[in-house]
Amino acid sequence: MRRLLYVHVFLCCLSMAHPFCPSQCTCGFHGRSDGAGTRSVVCNDPDMSDIPVNVPVDTVKLRIEKTMVRRIPTEAFYYLVDLRYLWITYNSISSVDSASFYNLKVLHELRLDGNMISMFPWESLKEMPRLKTLDLHNNRITHVPTEAIPYLLNITYLDLSSNKLATLPSEFMDIWPPFNGAPISTNASQKVLLGLQDNPWFCDCKISKLIELSKMSGTPVVLMDLYMACSGPENMAGVLFQRAELDNCVKPSVMTSATKITSDLGSNVLLRCDTTGFPTPTLYWAKSDGSLVNNTVQESPGDGIRWSIMSLHGILFKDAGNYSCKAKNDAGNAEATISLLVAGATSTTILPLRPNKTEPTSQGTTFTPPTYTPDSPTITSTVLPRTSTTSAVPKKPKTTTSNSLLKGSIKPAKSQQGANGRKLAADEKSKKSDASKSVKDLKIVEETSNTAVLLWTADDLPNDTPLTVVYSPYDEDDIKRTVETNAGSGKVFLDGLSSGMRYSVCLIAKGSAAGKDPCIDFYTLVNVEDGGQNQFFIIISGIACALVLSLIALLLYKILALYCKGHSPDLDQEELEKDSYVKFETLSMKQRTLNSRPTELWARRATHESERMLLCSRSSIDSQMTYKSDSSRSEYLC
């Protein structure tokens, strides 16, 4: 009895005991009138250097502030399954493991501000699916990788201010309206608070959406500070986002060759789209279900321009649908949609036989399905065009069906077997003799540079009569192509043709006489792009020839002018005298007389060329010598 009493007292004391609290922390319990409550733990001892490991398991809020903790180890809080608020602020943390927040499934708020974190493990956010608040301000984070964007979809409060961010991925803003295409809601509960101020932003196209957001109002994304400024490039340093204009940043625009295309079953289809923007956008194709299309070709002929072509070979009904051409660059994205419809015809002939009648009649039914679109009802059976199916339900297992059944009644198998055989032979002979005459009105329509459509009329032939279409370049019988069809189809599609060539096409019926098959010739169209290119080359060549001929004419004129000058010496002499501004003369002494005046002391006479050269050569010496005597030498002046 005494032992039972001890056990009861021990259990009562155990139920009243409080959970153990770490020595460097303070534990508190916030109760409510209904008996429920929450436990909070605050650890702010400056001497604490490690994350405490003996925190009560029912802790809802844990604060580790102003300590010497430098790292958060792996699975540091895995046993705190009820933890909703985790504040590790203003410590010395520089290392965070990717599994540090393992098993925090109900965590709503994570604050790591005021530390020295340079690389945050963004993938660790997947361990916190209910996280709404992420505070990383006042750290040393230098970039946000593109892989982190999917983990931020549920965040409604993100603070990355006072870090070292210079740029962001161009897809960063695409997870929130209006950049994700979702309608803008005025519901305050759907607001997203974003803190990006106090970072050295380099203003280029990568953050063009952030700059655009700073100029918008009434958006679900609210910036904590609207007055953010650029730190680079040099010509934009200090410019506010609200006044920044990015010159080399243009959103893509997409243009398609058509918005709706209808093509025959089994044909080849090319879909093209063009885009412009800067930087040069990238292009990719996707179906309506989001799956990417790989059989594409694209090229960028210059900066800011790109085109892409998607090819579909031998299309089927399942290929019908919407195809989106999507363009994307750092400034934004755009798309355009092309709807593809597949048209086809199915011919089915059914010959039912009633077992209770000796002379059943044949009944033919032809079914043509509507053009297949993605929204049309599901077709349970698909039959290729130009195909016929003949089925019969015989009265007896040995009853057979022949082509003669299409023209007359079916005789009893036992009594009329011989007559049916003779009739079948006669019908076959008649078909062979008239097959070539029954096909008429051959004509070519819808010809392009590489395709054409052949039409014909075959009123006197059964719809299931096999026909062979043979076509080849004119007078080139060694290059032939054939297409198998039947008389009832009335048309066939010819592809693989060459641009601007003459072709011959013949329609051959089985059993027709040789050389009597109907034929027709036609020309394919000239490719406009090739013609335009050739015309451009012709114009350039003409201009070059004109310039060359002009230069040759000018050279010939100069040569003739020089030749004519060389044969007119008198003219050269006159021009030389006109151009000369110095004349050479010889001054000689006159014999002095008593009555002569001093001014007539010198006489002048003409000087020949040889004397002129001599005077010039001696002028530098003789002109300096002056004699005052009567018998003085002549002075030569040049």
Side-chain angles (χ1 to χ4, degrees):
M1 187 66 181
R2 185 177 296 177
R3 291 180 179 177
L4 292 176
L5 181 61
Y6 291 157
V7 171
H8 179 70
V9 172
F10 175 76
L11 292 175
C12 291
C13 293
L14 185 62
S15 63
M16 296 177 62
H18 295 286
F20 181 77
C21 186
S23 59
Q24 295 176 305
C25 303
T26 302
C27 300
F29 189 82
H30 307 280
R32 295 186 300 185
S33 58
D34 57 359
T38 58
R39 184 176 302 281
S40 63
V41 177
V42 179
C43 304
N44 53 8
D45 190 340
D47 296 330
M48 178 181 288
S49 59
D50 295 312
I51 298 292
V53 296
N54 51 358
V55 178
V57 295
D58 59 345
T59 301
V60 174
K61 184 174 183 179
L62 174 60
R63 297 172 57 182
I64 304 175
E65 301 173 342
K66 300 177 182 179
T67 67
M68 295 298 295
V69 176
R70 296 182 178 275
R71 60 183 298 269
I72 303 177
T74 303
E75 300 180 1
F77 314 101
Y78 75 96
Y79 57 94
L80 302 177
V81 294
D82 295 327
L83 190 63
R84 296 185 181 182
Y85 304 94
L86 178 58
W87 294 10
I88 311 177
T89 59
Y90 295 96
N91 298 281
S92 301
I93 294 175
S94 59
S95 174
V96 182
D97 192 84
S98 59
S100 296
F101 309 108
Y102 173 74
N103 203 35
L104 299 181
K105 303 299 182 183
V106 297
L107 190 68
H108 286 189
E109 187 174 311
L110 175 61
R111 295 184 181 272
L112 296 170
D113 50 300
N115 288 285
M116 296 183 292
I117 301 173
S118 59
M119 296 185 64
F120 180 76
W122 300 96
E123 65 275 11
S124 64
L125 298 179
K126 64 183 178 182
E127 299 291 342
M128 300 169 279
R130 297 188 181 182
L131 188 67
K132 297 295 182 183
T133 299
L134 178 60
D135 189 350
L136 294 171
H137 92 273
N138 198 13
N139 277 279
R140 300 177 181 178
I141 298 174
T142 56
H143 75 285
V144 178
T146 305
E147 294 76 12
I149 295 176
Y151 305 122
L152 302 175
L153 292 174
N154 298 325
I155 302 296
T156 58
Y157 180 97
L158 177 62
D159 192 354
L160 295 172
S161 60
S162 301
N163 279 277
K164 296 183 178 181
L165 293 172
T167 187
L168 289 172
S170 58
E171 302 87 355
F172 182 82
M173 301 301 301
D174 292 342
I175 61 178
W176 297 300
F179 303 105
N180 62 353
I184 298 177
S185 175
T186 57
N187 189 356
S189 62
Q190 297 181 356
K191 296 288 185 179
V192 176
L193 194 60
L194 194 60
L196 296 171
Q197 66 275 10
D198 297 329
N199 282 289
W201 295 112
F202 188 88
C203 293
D204 60 0
C205 281
K206 291 185 178 180
I207 64 169
S208 60
K209 296 176 184 177
L210 178 60
I211 295 176
E212 183 179 353
L213 179 66
S214 66
K215 302 176 183 179
M216 301 170 64
S217 60
T219 61
V221 181
V222 179
L223 296 175
M224 295 182 187
D225 187 356
L226 293 175
Y227 298 99
M228 293 184 290
C230 303
S231 296
E234 185 177 354
N235 61 334
M236 297 189 67
V239 178
L240 295 177
F241 278 14
Q242 294 181 342
R243 298 180 180 178
E245 297 293 338
L246 302 177
D247 297 331
N248 298 326
C249 190
V250 181
K251 293 181 180 180
S253 61
V254 180
M255 297 158 288
T256 57
S257 56
T259 58
K260 186 177 182 180
I261 296 177
T262 302
S263 186
D264 292 334
L265 184 69
S267 61
N268 300 331
V269 177
L270 296 178
L271 305 180
R272 171 168 177 159
C273 75
D274 299 76
T275 182
T276 58
F278 196 85
T280 303
T282 58
L283 283 174
Y284 60 95
W285 292 84
K287 294 194 69 175
S288 54
D289 58 359
S291 59
L292 298 179
V293 182
N294 295 323
N295 49 326
T296 62
V297 176
Q298 59 178 282
E299 184 179 342
S300 177
D303 290 340
I305 303 173
R306 188 181 296 274
W307 57 261
S308 176
I309 295 179
M310 183 188 70
S311 59
L312 298 174
H313 300 283
I315 60 172
L316 303 175
F317 285 127
K318 65 178 182 179
D319 295 323
N322 294 329
Y323 293 85
S324 297
C325 178
K326 300 183 178 183
K328 180 180 180 182
N329 67 0
D330 292 337
N333 44 41
E335 66 177 84
T337 302
I338 301 177
S339 179
L340 175 63
L341 308 179
V342 180
T346 303
S347 177
T348 305
T349 303
I350 303 176
L351 300 175
L353 293 179
R354 298 180 181 178
N356 296 330
K357 293 185 180 181
T358 58
E359 293 183 5
T361 59
S362 63
Q363 181 179 0
T365 303
T366 301
F367 171 71
T368 302
T371 300
Y372 182 83
T373 63
D375 300 330
S376 62
T378 304
I379 298 176
T380 56
S381 63
T382 302
V383 184
L384 294 176
R386 301 188 296 273
T387 303
S388 63
T389 304
T390 303
S391 61
V393 182
K395 182 177 179 180
K396 293 184 180 181
K398 294 184 180 180
T399 303
T400 60
T401 303
S402 66
N403 291 334
S404 62
L405 297 179
L406 299 174
K407 297 184 177 180
S409 61
I410 302 176
K411 303 298 182 181
K414 292 184 179 180
S415 60
Q416 299 295 334
Q417 184 174 4
N420 286 342
R422 290 189 297 271
K423 187 176 182 180
L424 177 62
D427 290 343
E428 281 297 321
K429 185 176 181 180
S430 176
K431 285 184 179 181
K432 290 182 180 181
S433 61
D434 298 338
S436 60
K437 299 181 180 179
S438 300
V439 179
K440 55 186 179 179
D441 297 337
L442 268 70
K443 60 181 180 179
I444 293 291
V445 297
E446 300 180 8
E447 60 267 33
T448 65
S449 60
N450 57 2
T451 62
V453 177
L454 175 66
L455 302 180
W456 68 86
T457 303
D459 297 333
D460 298 335
L461 291 179
N463 291 337
D464 59 345
T465 301
L467 298 176
T468 302
V469 179
V470 180
Y471 61 98
S472 65
Y474 188 75
D475 288 340
E476 295 184 13
D477 296 337
D478 53 339
I479 306 176
K480 290 186 177 180
R481 295 186 181 182
T482 60
V483 177
E484 301 295 334
T485 181
N486 52 58
S489 62
K491 68 176 182 179
V492 70
F493 182 75
L494 308 178
D495 59 353
L497 308 179
S498 299
S499 173
M501 289 189 61
R502 182 180 178 183
Y503 280 84
S504 296
V505 56
C506 298
L507 195 61
I508 302 175
K510 184 177 180 181
S512 63
K516 296 183 178 181
D517 302 312
C519 299
I520 189 174
D521 296 342
F522 66 95
Y523 288 90
T524 56
L525 300 180
V526 177
N527 193 325
V528 177
E529 294 183 358
D530 294 343
Q533 189 174 11
N534 293 335
Q535 186 176 5
F536 175 76
F537 285 131
I538 291 173
I539 293 173
I540 295 298
S541 301
I543 295 173
C545 291
L547 292 175
V548 171
L549 291 176
S550 301
L551 292 175
I552 293 174
L554 181 61
L555 290 175
L556 291 175
Y557 172 75
K558 292 292 185 180
I559 293 172
L560 290 174
L562 293 175
Y563 180 79
C564 294
K565 268 189 174 184
H567 287 73
S568 57
D570 297 336
L571 182 62
D572 292 344
Q573 182 68 24
E574 292 177 0
E575 290 182 355
L576 182 60
E577 292 179 356
K578 290 180 182 179
D579 295 337
S580 302
Y581 58 91
V582 177
K583 290 187 177 181
F584 296 93
E585 295 179 345
T586 302
L587 300 179
S588 59
M589 293 291 293
K590 271 189 174 184
Q591 187 67 31
R592 178 175 297 182
T593 61
L594 295 176
N595 296 328
S596 62
R597 287 175 293 181
T599 54
E600 296 179 356
L601 181 62
W602 302 98
R604 300 173 181 268
R605 63 184 180 87
T607 307
H608 295 290
E609 184 68 24
S610 59
E611 295 177 351
R612 184 182 303 164
M613 296 302 294
L614 179 59
L615 290 172
C616 289
S617 62
R618 300 186 57 183
S619 61
S620 60
I621 301 175
D622 294 341
S623 60
Q624 299 177 9
M625 302 173 62
T626 304
Y627 299 89
K628 296 184 179 179
S629 63
D630 294 340
S631 59
S632 61
R633 297 172 54 191
S634 298
E635 183 179 0
Y636 299 96
L637 299 177
C638 181

